[in-house]
Amino acid sequence: MNEFLKIVLRFIGLLILQIFVMDQINFLGFINPMIYILFITLYPFDNNRLAFLLLAFGYGLILDTFQDTGGAHAAACVTITFLRPVFLRLVYGESYLMKNLRILTSSLDRILLLVLMTTFVHHLTFYSFVIFDVSQILELFKMTLSVGIATVVVGMTLLLIMKPKRA
Amino acid sequence: MQHIINFLIKYRNLLLYLVLFSVALVFTIQSHDYHRNSFIHSTGNVTGSVLETRNDIYSYFDLNRQNTYLSEENARLRMQLLALGDTLLGQESTLIFSDSLPFIVMPSRVIKNSYDKLDNYITLDVGTNEQIKTDMGVITSNGIVGIVDVSSKDFSRVISILNSEISLNAQIKGTSTIGSLTWDGTDPYKMNLMDVPRLARVSKGDTIITGRQSTTFPPDIQIGVIEDAMLIDNGSRYKIEVRLFNDMTDLGHVYVIKNRDKAAIKVIDTLSNE
């Protein structure tokens, strides 16, 4: 299957998964894992960054309209899109573009590290927007941590399922 | 122009990120009341302080015009005050001095004044018709004028403070040092404060006010300012030159004070001697 179809499938699939499954979990009353960000994590490396930014913005905005959070998802998605090269450089080394990698085929610890960093930054930005109050910084960290852990757990599970067997 | 375009191209990713971030921020703020209020509150503080500074600068340049306006208003209000103080229209009013003790005063006009003799007297146009009696104090808004001496039906004679026979109880403001205020007949603008002990704190520029021991004048009325202090009597007492606030050569409207508790205080004062 060519790249474009894969991207489209990921886009729609993850959105549906998020809206219909994840948002209904309400673990402990407030935790909903946000696995839709895997779309941004798994996006190809050599991309037109401008288009990628706009796409991520639209992606987050769609989720905002479903959850009525008014732009917080969009801001968080755009942030992780912009910082993705930084994360990739940290995890895979300076010349990650040269190596012809694919995330899904790389080792588990690298995948975990990538997902961890992306989730952390995304959730921090997202909950800053939602709470919007500097004095409630403890609440911010609590939400980030709890939802982040849930997201990482569910996300890693999903990736392990999707990971192609080393052939 | 080329530089600007180069800059835009070089940082296009960052700029696009910032633009999209701001758009998302605007969406968030617009859609939630709490966010909107919080945002407006903080930007309001910033714009408020900036506008305040700008206002300070503008109003500094406007000071000249404000000054002219204020002096015109001042003149207008003074004229109104004088018209009100006219005894033909005037009536008893209550003025509150310090101590929050209200004193009943009667505004009146000076119809005869003198300041060049050794013993000076002032004539006012109020009398027993307005319940003006002997020993009532007379003041203006600037300071004290004198004590009522005799009064007929329509007129009263006031012993001016510029009178060698008079000796008032006066106090240095801020201390409890008291002395006697007398006049030596030379300068209508200056009087002498005598009998001030050597250990008192006296400095030039201190204000002299009426003391509490007088039944004629309410306390804390400003009399004058210390101009010079000399030690006399072999250095045991001060003789203090006081410049009066009141211009005794230019008296127009004065107030006669009817101290309501004077009789009671006088009785108690005389009782202690027996």
Side-chain angles (χ1 to χ4, degrees):
Chain A
M1 286 194 280
N2 63 354
E3 282 296 314
F4 184 68
L5 204 59
K6 275 203 220 167
I7 292 172
V8 170
L9 274 175
R10 266 189 225 139
F11 192 98
I12 298 176
L14 280 170
L15 266 181
I16 291 175
L17 200 60
Q18 179 73 42
I19 295 167
F20 288 106
V21 180
M22 294 299 143
D23 283 349
Q24 316 305 321
I25 292 183
N26 277 327
F27 188 62
L28 290 180
F30 64 96
I31 299 181
N32 289 324
M34 294 200 250
I35 57 155
Y36 74 97
I37 56 175
L38 287 176
F39 172 72
I40 296 179
T41 319
L42 296 173
Y43 203 80
F45 292 167
D46 52 346
N47 48 39
N48 180 2
R49 269 188 93 189
L50 251 57
F52 187 24
L53 273 170
L54 286 168
L55 185 66
F57 182 74
Y59 191 57
L61 211 58
I62 294 175
L63 220 79
D64 274 324
T65 51
F66 277 105
Q67 287 189 4
D68 245 340
T69 46
H73 281 288
C77 283
V78 166
T79 307
I80 56 170
T81 313
F82 183 70
L83 292 175
R84 203 170 83 116
V86 177
F87 297 149
L88 288 171
R89 215 173 301 148
L90 279 173
V91 172
Y92 289 105
E94 284 293 326
S95 57
Y96 65 93
L97 283 168
M98 310 293 172
K99 289 190 208 164
N100 206 12
L101 294 158
R102 293 185 58 219
I103 296 183
L104 281 177
T105 55
S106 53
S107 56
L108 201 62
D109 52 347
R110 288 191 202 253
I111 303 178
L112 181 63
L113 215 56
L114 196 61
V115 169
L116 212 64
M117 283 196 286
T118 309
T119 311
F120 182 69
V121 170
H122 176 275
H123 285 28
L124 207 62
T125 324
F126 177 69
Y127 283 111
S128 310
F129 265 68
V130 167
I131 292 176
F132 217 69
D133 190 358
V134 186
S135 60
Q136 291 189 33
I137 204 160
L138 240 65
E139 180 73 21
L140 172 68
F141 282 135
K142 174 185 128 190
M143 290 298 279
T144 310
L145 214 63
S146 45
V147 181
I149 290 174
T151 307
V152 166
V153 164
V154 177
M156 286 309 290
T157 318
L158 202 62
L159 281 176
L160 279 171
I161 297 172
M162 293 290 131
K163 198 168 151 68
K165 300 292 176 269
R166 251 180 233 277
Chain B
M1 196 60 203
Q2 187 65 30
H3 286 299
I4 297 178
I5 297 184
N6 283 344
F7 175 80
L8 286 176
I9 293 177
K10 186 174 169 197
Y11 290 107
R12 63 186 188 279
N13 289 321
L14 179 64
L15 288 176
L16 185 64
Y17 166 63
L18 289 174
V19 164
L20 291 175
F21 195 79
S22 327
V23 171
L25 187 66
V26 167
F27 281 170
T28 314
I29 288 175
Q30 288 290 81
S31 64
H32 297 298
D33 273 332
Y34 173 77
H35 293 56
R36 199 180 315 149
N37 286 335
S38 169
F39 179 73
I40 290 177
H41 180 75
S42 21
T43 53
N45 275 344
V46 171
T47 50
S49 57
V50 168
L51 287 174
E52 197 180 349
T53 313
R54 189 188 77 164
N55 201 25
D56 281 339
I57 298 174
Y58 281 6
S59 66
Y60 179 76
F61 289 127
D62 200 33
L63 277 177
N64 213 4
R65 194 184 67 82
Q66 291 280 349
N67 238 2
T68 321
Y69 173 74
L70 279 173
S71 50
E72 279 173 26
E73 189 181 0
N74 220 7
R76 211 173 355 110
L77 287 172
R78 283 228 172 129
M79 276 198 336
Q80 278 186 1
L81 204 63
L82 285 173
L84 282 171
D86 197 321
T87 359
L88 292 176
L89 316 155
Q91 47 192 301
E92 240 173 49
S93 54
T94 313
L95 286 183
I96 298 185
F97 297 105
S98 65
D99 288 20
S100 305
L101 256 178
F103 282 85
I104 303 176
V105 295
M106 186 73 207
S108 72
R109 253 190 322 205
V110 169
I111 48 183
K112 186 164 106 65
N113 189 7
S114 73
Y115 43 85
D116 49 353
K117 304 197 260 293
L118 189 60
D119 298 323
N120 293 298
Y121 294 92
I122 298 170
T123 312
L124 307 178
D125 67 346
V126 287
T128 51
N129 273 346
E130 286 88 7
Q131 282 88 48
I132 304 294
K133 296 197 269 282
T134 319
D135 277 348
M136 285 187 173
V138 181
I139 61 166
T140 68
S141 43
N142 288 337
I144 55 174
V145 171
I147 305 177
V148 175
D149 185 23
V150 291
S151 51
S152 65
K153 244 187 351 142
D154 294 314
F155 301 101
S156 310
R157 192 179 73 162
V158 171
I159 305 178
S160 165
I161 51 171
L162 303 180
N163 191 315
S164 62
E165 291 172 355
I166 212 172
S167 170
L168 293 165
N169 180 262
Q171 186 182 346
I172 301 181
K173 187 173 180 180
T175 71
S176 35
T177 317
I178 51 171
S180 315
L181 200 63
T182 58
W183 192 52
D184 56 3
T186 48
D187 191 339
Y189 298 104
K190 294 207 198 128
M191 287 178 76
N192 292 321
L193 191 67
M194 314 288 285
D195 295 338
V196 177
R198 189 179 62 145
L199 294 171
R201 274 177 300 145
V202 171
S203 42
K204 285 193 198 143
D206 275 351
T207 314
I208 304 292
I209 56 176
T210 55
R212 280 161 202 282
Q213 295 179 3
S214 161
T215 49
T216 326
F217 291 106
D220 296 332
I221 296 193
Q222 299 198 325
I223 301 176
V225 66
I226 297 183
E227 237 184 32
D228 203 0
M230 290 164 287
L231 284 169
I232 56 167
D233 269 358
N234 290 336
S236 63
R237 289 189 213 282
Y238 272 110
K239 174 182 157 195
I240 301 173
E241 239 178 50
V242 176
R243 173 171 287 280
L244 297 171
F245 286 133
N246 218 351
D247 187 356
M248 297 300 292
T249 64
D250 182 17
L251 290 175
H253 281 83
V254 298
Y255 297 105
V256 183
I257 300 174
K258 306 176 181 181
N259 186 343
R260 347 174 247 172
D261 292 324
K262 196 164 69 136
I265 296 176
K266 266 221 165 106
V267 168
I268 292 184
D269 271 348
T270 50
L271 272 181
S272 54
N273 281 338
E274 288 186 13

